[in-house]
């Protein structure tokens, strides 16, 4: 009985600590997006690297309904010195024709197309980008996924953050306004749960970077072995960021979000993507096993039980009130990331938020169940530490 009582006291203490940590994360992320995102150009600093040349590396595979419009935004950037390096793995990929049409439409833009890639490891994105990386002529490289769309001043915003001691500038991932409930679900996730963890980590000095839109110093990457050094990993963005940080460089976050605008999306695709990301985190960072307790419903149960045990408050009343407070904080967070009211109604937000929160534990358990992932056209078995091996059909 004494051991049981001690365990209950420890769980109650854990609940109180969890309450403090999670709400600190809420407040940090809400304050950050209000103060630091969507600033006007006149409000940002003008560093030495403002007009440094930038080599944009664009990995492409396949075509979706938004690819042409997304790619075209990079040809109309308002920046004095940059090149676009379009990389396509296969000659018969329909993205090749899209690239050729844009190259013909914008002959004044310094842009080239590389076809065929270069096999240097198991990571298909790195293999695809290698020819472009080897031909990059500027000191800054901008790796930006195919589903991203940008504003005319996005590159200026990125280079504004590349100050003297900064080695990597990244954008907070978000999702453009699109039609359908699957789009709303993605937007709710990338406007609530994801930025809460992403921003809190970066504010507290934990290096948390996604590779959707990253501006990096090429000489620092070369010191680490260039892109080929990261081809053994599936989560190459994490290990590139780690290599830059290990060499004493700081990170900075852009004031504009990395706007995802894929034309192909569904609830099943969203769920599959979340499971893949969770699998990668589990294999790279053992602390990921605690992720479920940072989700609203499970956290509210633990904290509600702690409040009942310590203060004799009604557990279910506390649970409902805590979930409501979380819901309101998430909506405030979303409007900050969006830069205003979202394109969907509050009812749509409530439904999408409830479904997303309900999926969280199931996604985590699915990630634990199977150590293999499917990405692009390959299947891979993950190993502890972040490396992987490709599974070949026989």
């Amino acid at each position: 009985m004494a051991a049981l009582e001690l365990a209950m006291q420890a769980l109650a203490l854990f609940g109180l600590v969890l309450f403090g940590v999670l709400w600190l994360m809420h407040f940090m992320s809400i304050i950050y997006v209000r103060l630091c995102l969507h600033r006007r150009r006149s409000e940002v600093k003008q560093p030495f690297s403002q007009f440094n040349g930038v080599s944009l590396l664009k990995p492409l595979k396949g075509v979706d309904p938004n690819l042409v419009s997304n790619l075209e935004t990079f040809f109309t950037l308002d920046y004095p010195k940059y090149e676009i390096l379009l990389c396509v793995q296969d000659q018969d990929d329909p993205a090749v024709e899209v690239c050729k049409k844009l190259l013909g439409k914008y002959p004044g833009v310094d842009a080239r197309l590389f076809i065929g890639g270069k096999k240097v490891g198991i990571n298909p994105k790195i293999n695809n980008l290698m020819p472009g990386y080897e031909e990059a002529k500027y000191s800054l490289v901008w790796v930006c996924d195919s589903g991203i769309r940008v504003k005319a001043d996005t590159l200026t915003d990125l280079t504004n953050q590349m100050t003297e001691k900064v080695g990597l500038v990244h954008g907070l991932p978000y999702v453009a306004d699109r039609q359908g409930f699957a789009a709303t679900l993605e937007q709710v996730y990338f406007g609530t749960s994801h930025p809460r963890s992403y921003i809190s980590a970066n504010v507290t000095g934990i290096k948390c970077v996604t590779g959707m839109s990253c501006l990096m110093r090429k000489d620092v990457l070369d010191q680490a072995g260039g892109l080929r050094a990261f081809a053994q990993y599936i989560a190459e963005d994490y290990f590139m960021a780690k290599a830059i940080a290990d060499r004493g460089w700081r990170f900075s976050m852009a004031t504009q979000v990395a706007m995802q605008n894929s034309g192909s999306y569904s609830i099943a695709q969203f769920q599959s993507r979340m499971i893949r990301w969770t699998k990668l985190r589990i294999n790279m960072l053992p602390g990921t096993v605690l992720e479920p307790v940072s989700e609203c419903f499970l956290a509210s149960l633990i904290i509600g039980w702690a409040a009942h045990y310590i203060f004799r408050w009604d557990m279910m009343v506390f649970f409902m009130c805590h979930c409501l407070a979380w819901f309101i904080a998430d909506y405030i967070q979303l409007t900050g990331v969006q830069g205003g009211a979202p394109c969907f109604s509050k009812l749509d937000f409530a439904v999408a938020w409830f479904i997303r929160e309900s999926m969280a534990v199931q996604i985590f358990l699915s990630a634990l169940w199977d150590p293999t992932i499917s990405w692009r056209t390959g299947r891979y078995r993950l190993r502890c530490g972040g490396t992987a091996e490709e599974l070949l059909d026989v």
Side-chain angles (χ1 to χ4, degrees), residues 91-111:
Q91 177 68 51
D92 58 354
D93 193 310
V96 171
E97 287 305 312
V98 171
C99 294
K100 289 180 177 179
K101 288 179 181 178
L102 287 172
L103 291 172
K105 185 176 180 179
Y106 296 95
V109 176
D110 184 1

Side-chain angles (χ1 to χ4, degrees), residues 109 133 231 288 375 379:
V109 176
Y133 182 82
T288 301
W375 184 41
R379 289 182 65 247

Side-chain angles (χ1 to χ4, degrees), residues 3-17 305-306 309:
L4 178 60
E5 181 65 22
L6 186 62
M8 294 175 67
Q9 291 175 0
L11 181 59
L13 179 60
F14 174 74
L16 292 181
V17 173
W305 183 88
Y309 181 82

Side-chain angles (χ1 to χ4, degrees), residues 26-141:
H26 272 291
F27 290 130
M28 280 194 299
S29 58
I30 289 172
I31 292 170
Y32 182 92
V33 298
R34 297 288 173 173
L35 295 180
C36 300
L37 289 188
H38 309 296
R39 290 186 296 171
R40 296 176 183 176
R41 189 182 301 186
S42 60
E43 297 174 322
V44 298
K45 47 190 175 292
Q46 302 295 322
F48 79 102
S49 62
Q50 182 178 0
F51 299 113
N52 273 14
V54 176
S55 297
L56 166 62
L57 293 170
K58 200 73 175 171
L60 301 170
K61 183 173 180 61
V63 173
D64 70 48
N66 292 342
L67 180 63
V68 175
S69 60
N70 289 339
L71 268 183
E72 194 163 11
T73 62
F74 291 87
F75 284 81
T76 58
L77 285 166
D78 181 16
Y79 194 80
K81 188 167 60 173
Y82 74 102
E83 62 175 345
I84 302 175
L85 307 174
L86 304 165
C87 302
V88 183
Q89 184 72 45
D90 301 316
Q91 177 68 51
D92 58 354
D93 193 310
V96 171
E97 287 305 312
V98 171
C99 294
K100 289 180 177 179
K101 288 179 181 178
L102 287 172
L103 291 172
K105 185 176 180 179
Y106 296 95
V109 176
D110 184 1
R112 288 175 285 168
L113 173 61
F114 298 87
I115 302 173
K118 183 178 181 180
K119 181 77 171 180
V120 293
I122 56 98
N123 187 306
K125 179 178 176 180
I126 296 291
N127 292 337
N128 191 9
L129 289 176
M130 279 304 299
Y133 182 82
E134 291 174 345
E135 293 294 322
K137 62 186 179 183
Y138 292 124
S139 60
L140 299 177
V141 293

Side-chain angles (χ1 to χ4, degrees), residues 219-230 239-240 243-244 247:
D219 60 337
V220 180
L221 280 179
D222 288 339
Q223 290 169 18
L227 280 190
R228 69 170 58 241
F230 308 100
F239 290 98
M240 284 193 288
I244 292 171
R247 283 160 177 79

